[in-house]
Amino acid sequence: MLYLKLAWRNIWRNKRRTFITMLSIIVAVMLSSVMRTMNEGSYEQMIENTVGIFTGYVQIHQKGYWDDKTLENTLVSSDTLFQIIAQTPGITKAVPRIESYALVAGENQSRAAMVIGIDPEKERSLSDPQNRIVTGSYFEDLNERSVLLGTDLVQRLELQVGDSLVMIGQGFRGQSAAGLYEVKGTVRFPNPEMNKSLVMMPLGTAQFFLAAPDRLTGISLIIEDSDDAESVTKILSGYLSSEDYEVMDWKELMPELVQAIESDRGSGLIIIMILYVVVGFGILGTVLMMITERTYEFGVMISVGTSRFAIAMMLAFEVLLMAMAGSLVGIVASYPISYYFHINPIRLSDSGDMAQVIETFGMEPVLQFSLEPSLFYSQAIIIFVITLIFCLIPILKASRLNPVKAMRS
Amino acid sequence: MPTQNGNNMSVIRTEGLTKVYNPDQVPVHALNGVDLTIEKGEFTAIVGPSGSGKTTLLNIIGGLDEPTGGKAFIRGTDISTLSDRELINFRLNHIGFVFQSFNLIPVLTALENVSFIMQMQGRPAKECREKSIELLEEVGLKDKINKRPSELSGGQQQRVAVARALASKPDFVLADEPTANLDSVSTAELLDMMAELNEVEDMTFIFSTHDQRVIDRARRVITLVDGKIDSDEERTVDSG
Ligand SMILES: Nc1ncnc2c1ncn2[C@@H]1O[C@H](COP(=O)(O)OP(=O)(O)OP(=O)(O)O)[C@@H](O)[C@H]1O
Ligand SMILES: [Mg+2]
């Protein structure tokens, strides 16, 4: 109590120094947590834009499909398979798809396109095409002979809603595939790559086109909590024959994405480490100065019988109070910033380096900050601990002063 | 052995104290064999020219500095045998200090400065407070107990320092030039007060000074020259 009282009064004694020390802690917490929320926000967005709305966090394929994505490696859709999925805890929905490539053509133009057969109802819980329709309308049943095209693809093919699209490709077991379909609408995804090449068909139509009735390239699973992808994958693998099926979580499905995030996180970490060191030395400086100014006073205190422990305690409380207040204010001050950029993501100029990197991953160059609470308090805790570590030496130094020397200064 | 009959022993006894600063470079012989005995109830001035070793002697007696040679006993305890930690504790419980200036903890009031020492000794809060008020009354600062040092004059600060020095019930009070920064009125007041505490409570005071008016009030004057005792005279002064 006595030490706390002394510490408290000393904090108010030199308001300017206290203010500077606290400000450096506050700014450090703000910089580091805003930076972390920016980075993690962009990763969250990358994952959400690819995995969350397209791939799904977990997929089931015929064994070998992911290595060799051909129609020969498709699985046969069966009620038992869907029953097993339904019984697996943590899974809320199963979204079947058949995917392949085909040449698509309008009257004057042709393109290679990614063809995806979807179940119009079930697909709502994954890519939700109906809500992404720009013009035209959504599929009404599983077998209608129509397609939805990516917005850019439509332009390239010089087509409009209501026109016919010619599709030529190769079906199951090398059978030739050809067909004429009505363009029923256009869809836009946050993934520019998809807008350039996507053709969506109702599942039955696609299976018929590809001469692969009842076959699926994969089943994407919607899970309750995306953090459980790995455990759900494990459980489901246990239920399914590993001879016939492969169950993969998004990290296995998209190792390049995981790697890109990891390496970006790594370089972010280096920058943030530099920040920590700068802040640490800044605080070291102010605390050393404070202790130097008070050397005589410590000399008197030790002379009259104040234990070295008491001196250290008093100073530790001073630093602790400042660090605690600084970290808390830091959190409170950084949250609105991250919140603002969460609501109003930063749109990167298309020519910038960053924008190009992001676009190569098939994503919109937009930075949306994360609001994950742990990002804020972990930074506050780190800065708090760094402050204490950097103050340790000055505090020990002060408590070990030789009283005679201290008082001669 | 020393602590059992400690009360019969001299408050301070030194044997051939020497102190050499910078022994390796340019040695400064600050003390050259000081033998000194101080008994309870003394009111003794240590005088001598600047650089004669007064501060050095007081620091060694006060357990703030170590002698290069010789021994210092406080009530029979050889303080050179104490560890740093024991020494701090020893100072807390046996020695009162008054320094030249800036004696007080700036963020504490007069009352808190005095009771701080007793709190460090682990005495109950109520006792600390009552005793501190009593001491501050004794040094004539009844109406200033809640003032911080910055709100007190130099003389008042020194009086608080004396009250603090007494708070731990020490064996003696050491004061290195306590009046050096005071005007003549404050100097006289401080000395009156110290003399009274000496008379009434039989508190032992040892102080160094350059000031003739202060020397005149001492009942024993030890003169140091070049780190040696040059003269040591008992005197009678009219007290009060
Ligand atoms: N830490 C030190 N290092 C080196 N020399 C020192 C140190 N402290 C004191 N001295 C020297 O020791 C001698 C005695 O110094 P001391 O301070 O004891 O004298 P003093 O009698 O108190 O002088 P003053 O009246 O000026 O206060 C002086 O020559 C001084 O320069
Ligand atoms: Mg001196």
Side-chain angles (χ1 to χ4, degrees), chain A residues 41 143 183 195 241 257 272 277 329 369:
Chain A
N143 295 305
V183 177
N195 297 335
S241 145
L257 179 65
I272 224 166
V277 171
V329 174
F369 288 33

Side-chain angles (χ1 to χ4, degrees), chain A residues 75-91:
Chain A
L75 57 82
V76 178
S77 174
S78 71
D79 288 347
T80 23
L81 183 56
F82 281 94
Q83 265 161 24
I84 290 170
I85 294 167
Q87 281 160 12
T88 307
I91 298 177

Side-chain angles (χ1 to χ4, degrees), chain B residues 38-226:
Chain B
I38 289 179
E39 304 294 344
K40 181 158 175 61
E42 283 194 21
F43 199 65
T44 298
I46 313 263
V47 303
S50 187
S52 58
K54 303 182 292 294
T55 297
T56 306
L57 178 62
L58 290 184
N59 282 347
I60 292 172
I61 296 171
L64 294 172
D65 207 352
E66 287 181 353
T68 314
K71 284 185 171 160
F73 298 91
I74 309 279
R75 284 212 180 280
T77 304
D78 180 355
I79 56 173
S80 66
T81 62
L82 301 178
S83 68
D84 175 71
R85 202 197 184 110
E86 289 168 332
L87 208 51
I88 290 179
N89 213 25
F90 190 87
R91 292 200 296 267
L92 175 65
N93 292 308
H94 295 273
I95 309 174
F97 290 91
V98 178
F99 301 104
Q100 198 169 322
S101 54
F102 303 113
N103 272 284
L104 307 175
I105 299 172
V107 295
L108 297 182
T109 64
L111 178 64
E112 289 164 338
N113 260 288
V114 177
S115 79
F116 178 76
I117 291 290
M118 289 185 273
Q119 281 175 280
M120 294 301 295
Q121 287 180 311
R123 293 204 240 160
K126 190 160 175 273
E127 184 194 328
C128 294
R129 192 183 152 78
E130 284 169 0
K131 178 79 182 162
S132 303
I133 294 176
E134 193 185 310
L135 282 166
L136 285 166
E137 276 175 22
E138 265 184 79
V139 300
L141 291 175
K142 192 180 176 188
D143 52 340
K144 305 279 187 214
I145 58 170
N146 290 322
K147 297 270 188 252
R148 294 217 186 163
S150 57
E151 301 167 302
L152 298 173
S153 71
Q156 289 166 339
Q157 288 183 34
Q158 290 303 76
R159 283 193 267 162
V160 177
V162 171
R164 179 188 62 187
L166 296 177
S168 63
K169 297 190 185 140
D171 294 332
F172 61 93
V173 174
L174 284 180
D176 192 4
E177 303 197 36
T179 61
N181 292 332
L182 300 184
D183 59 44
S184 53
V185 176
S186 304
T187 299
E189 280 173 0
L190 191 72
L191 273 158
D192 288 344
M193 197 199 81
M194 283 164 54
E196 192 185 327
L197 289 164
N198 172 252
E199 299 259 305
V200 178
E201 305 196 0
D202 204 25
M203 177 53 67
T204 313
F205 280 90
I206 301 125
F207 45 92
S208 74
T209 186
H210 284 288
D211 187 337
Q212 191 55 46
R213 290 165 300 181
V214 177
I215 299 171
D216 289 343
R217 303 289 299 266
R219 284 198 267 114
R220 179 182 175 191
V221 178
I222 297 168
T223 309
L224 285 184
V225 176
D226 290 338

Side-chain angles (χ1 to χ4, degrees), chain A residues 91-330:
Chain A
I91 298 177
T92 54
K93 294 241 163 59
V95 183
R97 283 179 182 164
I98 188 163
E99 299 182 21
S100 187
Y101 290 90
L103 188 71
V104 298
E107 269 182 29
N108 306 316
Q109 300 285 338
S110 65
R111 294 271 154 186
M114 181 165 77
V115 180
I116 303 185
I118 59 164
D119 180 317
E121 278 314 306
K122 291 180 178 162
E123 191 66 29
R124 285 181 201 281
S125 33
L126 195 53
S127 66
D128 193 12
Q130 182 158 31
N131 278 321
R132 298 180 192 279
I133 285 185
V134 181
T135 52
S137 57
Y138 193 47
F139 303 130
E140 268 132 40
D141 74 77
L142 222 58
N143 295 305
E144 66 177 85
R145 292 183 58 85
S146 55
V147 293
L148 294 174
L149 300 183
T151 45
D152 293 346
L153 183 61
V154 162
Q155 279 175 8
R156 289 178 185 205
L157 295 173
E158 297 170 6
L159 288 174
Q160 282 177 344
V161 173
D163 290 350
S164 296
L165 179 78
V166 177
M167 292 178 59
I168 301 166
Q170 197 173 41
F172 186 56
R173 298 214 167 114
Q175 300 175 63
S176 69
L180 190 68
Y181 303 92
E182 183 198 340
V183 177
K184 198 165 186 194
T186 60
V187 280
R188 191 207 299 279
F189 283 90
N191 181 330
E193 228 17 73
M194 282 170 58
N195 297 335
K196 283 178 204 158
S197 64
L198 184 70
V199 176
M200 277 189 159
M201 304 174 95
L203 189 62
T205 312
Q207 284 169 335
F208 186 79
F209 168 67
L210 295 167
D214 294 331
R215 289 191 167 265
L216 301 173
T217 46
I219 303 169
S220 295
L221 304 177
I222 310 293
I223 57 180
E224 270 163 27
D225 183 346
S226 56
D227 294 336
D228 294 340
E230 209 169 322
S231 62
V232 169
T233 304
K234 258 208 197 88
I235 295 169
L236 191 58
S237 304
Y239 294 167
L240 296 172
S241 145
S242 61
E243 300 275 293
D244 300 334
Y245 299 104
E246 61 189 20
V247 186
M248 300 168 97
D249 69 12
W250 68 275
K251 290 182 182 172
E252 289 176 89
L253 292 168
M254 318 202 94
E256 330 79 46
L257 179 65
V258 175
Q259 211 173 32
I261 289 175
E262 286 304 323
S263 84
D264 195 82
R265 205 178 255 146
S267 49
L269 210 68
I270 291 170
I271 295 173
I272 224 166
M273 290 285 194
I274 294 170
L275 176 79
Y276 292 157
V277 171
V278 169
V279 169
F281 279 104
I283 288 165
L284 179 72
T286 54
V287 173
L288 270 181
M289 201 159 77
M290 177 262 274
I291 280 169
T292 310
E293 277 174 33
R294 282 161 66 187
T295 298
Y296 182 89
E297 182 183 328
F298 297 141
V300 171
M301 290 176 80
I302 297 170
S303 292
V304 301
T306 311
S307 69
R308 297 183 184 281
F309 173 75
I311 303 270
M313 282 298 278
M314 175 183 83
L315 288 172
F317 275 129
E318 283 177 38
V319 170
L320 216 63
L321 286 172
M322 285 191 287
M324 234 149 61
S327 310
L328 287 178
V329 174

